[in-house]
Structures are given as structure tokens and as C-alpha cells.
Amino acid sequence: MNVNGLKYDWSSLSQSKANAATSLYNSRMSDYRYREDVTDGYVSLHYALPHTVFIAGVRVDNVDYTSWSPTSSNNIASEGFTRRNGNYINPLPSFDIVHHFPWNVNVHASYSRSIGRPTPSNIAQAEKISCGTDDDSGVASCSISSGNPNLKPRKAHNFDVAVDKYFDHGNGMVSATFFNKIIKDDIYNLTNIYMQDGEIFQSSTPMNASGSILRGVEFSALDRSIHLLGQVFDLSMNATWMQGHMHYSNGTTMLRSDHLIYQPDVLVNGAVTWHIPAIKGALRATANYNGKFLTGLGSTRDENTGQGSVFMLNMALWHQVYKNVSFKYEVQNLSNTHFNNVIGSKLQYTNNTNYLGRGVYFHVILDYK
């Protein structure tokens, strides 16, 4: 390297002992392992009448897991691992009824029990301390993250009722769905912010809630054959409104949150595709809106963290250049959307903003039928 006649002695970049120790600590504390063996069995019974179908079934879900977590003492990581074993078995019944009414109308009602397993990091990640750089909250100068080996999987009783109406010779459909979920042992991140030795610490640990409920309504519509001004379009959209609450502990007191983790109040998605026979391709635009949502619950409501609402527009064009070969051009985040990390009892304060820019992609598609 020679800039304006100045030479730099690269040998002076040797790592200091302090940096080497920090690097070794970060490497070892991130080196957790997790193994999960899942065994499932399912049996179902189907019974059909001229206009009604009944489906009853049960799935048995058995899990055996082992985690290996690194250990540390006085912020010095050891080479050994702490091994933990666990297992659980759950029967998961379900029952569905579908009735076919005249005028191409179907009514679908169902009940099911489902299970959501913790991620490997939720269980096996060791306590890790990181200082010197701001974390996602934009508040603390030191962050502590750890897994929870005693974490239970979330279990839910799910109730759904849907009404579907088909039209345009089966090319179009409108649907309205009501759903209600009663959740036990929902998983959330408990965040604590405190002062220690002149530094602001933020700790985050996955925990189980005592009880949660999520309910909402979804409306969707699509038509794959809309003729307008001599052109053919596909149109689809769906909108969901959700409401939920969770009872959880901050370590000393039972609290209530009026939202679940990652649960916005409103979701809206839409897409329109213009088919262009002259180029044997199409032009498509998609739009998505996601309301703000929680990502972590604090020991007080003012310490709740989340992500702000987001609107994003994407576009894509594809055309055939040769038999079985097509080119596709895609622009993601055409609206140049940015993402806000927010905090507060109502997620009303912005801590930092992430500008991701646009993504431009070129694809070569080989299609052999």
C-alpha cells in the first residue's frame, strides 16, 4: 500500500493481548451445539356424506434432545461443555368438517392442537457478555444474552372457521376466516436494563408465559383471469386483523401484555400480474404492509422493544429469450423502505433506523417440462 508516498507498516497490526482474549471468549461462548430427534406417528379417519366431509385424526409427537453449552467463569470461557438432556411427548388431535353449499360456497370448521418447539439457541446458547458497541436497543453499552435449558415448547388449541366463495368458473375466490388460539407456555424474550460498574447492561433471556390468546379475522380474494382493455391480469390480496394478550412474569411480578411477540395488529398483502403474451412473460408488482410488533418484553412496560410498521413495494419482469430459457429482472424494496427499532410501553420511541436500500436481481430460468 503506497498512498501519496506514505508506506504503512502492516506488522504493527498484531493483535493485543486484550483483543486476543476477547476474540477467544466470543468464539468459545458462541460454540454451542444442539441435537434433536423427532419421531411422529399419525392416524386419521375420513367419513364423507354427499355434501359434508368429516376428518378426525391424532398425531403423536415425541422429541428427545441434547444440548452442549459452553461455560465461563469471571468472563473467561473454558474449553468444556455442559451437557443437558430432555424429552417430551405430546398427543396432537385434530377434527375438521367441510360442508359444500349451493352457489359454490364452502364452510370449513376445524379444531387442532399444535406444538411449537424452541429454537436451538433458545435452549443451548450460553450466557454471553458483549461490551463496547451498542446493541439493537440503542440504549445499553453492554448486552447479555443467554438460552434457557428449562424452556418448554409452546402448545396451542386452535379453532378456525372459514367461508369460501368461488366464482369466474373457478378462477376466482373470496374467503373470510375467523381464528382463535389458546396458547400455553408461549415463548418470549425477557429484557432487563440495569446499571453496573458505570455501564448500562441489557440482558435478554427466553422465557415461558403462563398463558396467551390470539384471535383475529383474515379476508382474502383472488382472480386469475381478469380481462381489461384486451389484457389479462391476475389479482390477489389478503388482509388480517389480530388481537392478542399474554400473561408473563418479569421475575417478581405477573404482568399482562396486550400483544404477543411478533404479533402486529394488521397485515396486508397484495399482488397484480400483467400477462404479456408478446414476450411470453409478465410484469408483477407486490405490496406488503406489516404493522409494528413486539420483539421483547421488558421487566417494565417502558423497556418493551419492537419493530416499527413497514410498507414495501417489489416489482419483477420476466420474458422468454429461447425455448425453455427465460430472463427475470427483479427489484426488491422499490419503495426504499427503512426499518425502525422501537421501544416503550406502546413502542412509541425510535431508537435507531436501518436503511437497507434496494436489491436488484437478474435470474436465468431453465424450464424443462
Side-chain angles (χ1 to χ4, degrees):
M1 179 178 176
N2 190 329
V3 180
N4 297 327
L6 300 176
K7 293 185 178 181
Y8 187 81
D9 183 9
W10 291 98
S11 63
S12 66
L13 289 178
S14 59
Q15 193 174 36
S16 67
K17 291 184 178 180
N19 286 339
T22 300
S23 178
L24 179 62
Y25 170 83
N26 289 333
S27 176
R28 287 181 176 175
M29 295 307 290
S30 300
D31 190 23
Y32 61 84
R33 289 184 289 158
Y34 182 80
R35 172 174 173 167
E36 188 173 79
D37 297 309
V38 181
T39 306
D40 282 311
Y42 182 78
V43 61
S44 65
L45 176 65
H46 298 235
Y47 184 74
L49 296 174
H51 300 288
T52 309
V53 178
F54 302 88
I55 304 173
V58 62
R59 179 167 67 96
V60 178
D61 184 272
N62 180 74
V63 176
D64 294 281
Y65 65 88
T66 303
S67 66
W68 294 266
S69 300
T71 59
S72 67
S73 177
N74 296 324
N75 295 336
I76 298 176
S78 66
E79 296 184 7
F81 290 86
T82 299
R83 175 173 173 169
R84 296 182 178 90
N85 300 306
N87 64 82
Y88 49 86
I89 184 170
N90 291 278
L92 305 173
S94 63
F95 185 72
D96 293 79
I97 302 175
V98 180
H99 185 76
H100 304 283
F101 286 91
W103 310 292
N104 294 318
V105 174
N106 293 337
V107 176
H108 181 193
S110 68
Y111 161 77
S112 65
R113 190 170 183 232
S114 59
I115 190 170
R117 300 185 184 89
T119 63
S121 61
N122 283 158
I123 294 179
Q125 182 181 349
E127 181 177 275
K128 181 181 176 182
I129 303 175
S130 178
C131 292
T133 58
D134 289 342
D135 64 355
D136 289 341
S137 73
V139 175
S141 56
C142 291
S143 63
I144 303 175
S145 59
S146 64
N148 182 354
N150 299 314
L151 205 63
K152 301 175 184 177
R154 56 168 63 90
K155 295 178 283 291
H157 296 276
N158 311 295
F159 302 88
D160 299 86
V161 177
V163 180
D164 305 324
K165 164 65 178 176
Y166 294 87
F167 60 92
D168 193 11
H169 308 288
N171 289 310
M173 183 193 75
V174 292
S175 176
T177 304
F178 168 78
F179 58 89
N180 186 75
K181 300 178 181 292
I182 302 173
I183 307 170
K184 181 182 179 182
D185 296 325
D186 200 5
I187 298 173
Y188 66 96
N189 285 321
L190 178 63
T191 301
N192 286 291
I193 299 176
Y194 58 92
M195 181 76 73
Q196 179 178 312
D197 298 330
E199 299 279 1
I200 301 177
F201 281 77
Q202 175 173 298
S203 66
S204 178
T205 307
M207 303 288 288
N208 286 121
S210 61
S212 306
I213 290 179
L214 177 67
R215 60 174 64 93
V217 178
E218 180 180 9
F219 174 79
S220 59
L222 67 89
D223 195 332
R224 295 175 296 204
S225 182
I226 298 177
H227 294 265
L228 180 66
L229 301 176
Q231 305 296 316
V232 179
F233 298 87
D234 291 352
L235 181 66
S236 64
M237 64 83 61
N238 71 290
T240 305
W241 172 82
M242 288 177 281
Q243 183 184 60
H245 64 262
M246 174 192 299
H247 295 277
Y248 68 101
S249 172
N250 65 357
T252 59
T253 307
M254 291 299 299
L255 301 174
R256 171 185 163 123
S257 168
D258 291 330
H259 289 82
L260 274 61
I261 299 295
Y262 305 117
Q263 175 245 309
D265 289 335
V266 177
L267 285 170
V268 181
N269 303 288
V272 58
T273 304
W274 174 26
H275 296 277
I276 311 174
I279 63 172
K280 296 183 179 180
L283 175 67
R284 174 179 293 158
T286 61
N288 314 96
Y289 173 79
N290 196 109
K292 64 182 179 181
F293 56 86
L294 283 168
T295 57
L297 293 167
S299 56
T300 68
R301 291 184 177 90
D302 290 336
E303 296 173 359
N304 290 351
T305 57
Q307 181 176 292
S309 58
V310 171
F311 171 81
M312 183 176 291
L313 178 65
N314 306 315
M315 294 197 72
L317 171 70
W318 61 94
H319 63 96
Q320 189 178 86
V321 295
Y322 189 72
K323 183 181 180 180
N324 303 324
V325 180
S326 297
F327 288 170
K328 182 179 180 181
Y329 318 92
E330 187 176 8
V331 180
Q332 293 188 359
N333 195 18
L334 185 64
S335 52
N336 200 23
T337 298
H338 56 269
F339 298 85
N340 293 327
N341 292 323
V342 292
I343 192 171
S345 58
K346 298 181 180 180
L347 303 181
Q348 67 271 41
Y349 304 115
T350 298
N351 276 328
N352 54 66
T353 301
N354 301 311
Y355 293 91
L356 301 183
R358 299 181 179 92
V360 180
Y361 301 89
F362 171 70
H363 309 265
V364 178
I365 303 172
L366 306 178
D367 186 10
Y368 294 95
K369 298 180 180 179

